Amino acid sequence: MASPDPLSPELIDAYQLDGAVCVRNVFDADDVGRVAGFIDSWMARPGDHFRDFGGDGDSPFFSDVFGWARDPDYGAWLKGAKLGQIAASLMQ
């Protein structure tokens, strides 16, 4: 995993003001490839919570919540992805 840039006080302030920010350099190419594999797997075998929101096939738009619970590999990746640390820092 790529090391995220330190969350600057300005970025945290922007999050507090706007409710959303772009945090760069969190995922490297291996992470993106791995997540793409998880998504392909979910599309091939939708779970009970899968919802198709009418994607056109080339750019599908869907939701499949609780993927971490039914896919142990994704759950392990997600727990090690430092996303919780980033979110906690932004939300203080």
Side-chain angles (χ1 to χ4, degrees), residues 5 13 15-16 19 24 26 30 34 49 63 68 70 92:
D5 292 335
D13 289 346
Y15 176 80
Q16 294 294 316
R24 299 191 185 279
V26 174
D30 290 337
R34 235 174 134 188
H49 301 284
S63 172
W68 59 268
R70 68 183 186 97
Q92 301 179 335

Side-chain angles (χ1 to χ4, degrees), residues 7-23 85-92:
L7 296 176
S8 68
E10 294 80 17
L11 191 67
I12 293 170
D13 289 346
Y15 176 80
Q16 294 294 316
L17 179 67
D18 300 329
V21 291
C22 179
V23 181
Q85 294 170 350
I86 293 168
S89 294
L90 289 172
M91 291 186 263
Q92 301 179 335

Side-chain angles (χ1 to χ4, degrees), residues 50-72:
F50 180 89
R51 298 292 178 265
D52 184 349
F53 295 102
D56 62 11
D58 290 331
S59 301
F61 181 62
F62 73 94
S63 172
D64 196 358
V65 297
F66 303 114
W68 59 268
R70 68 183 186 97
D71 185 337

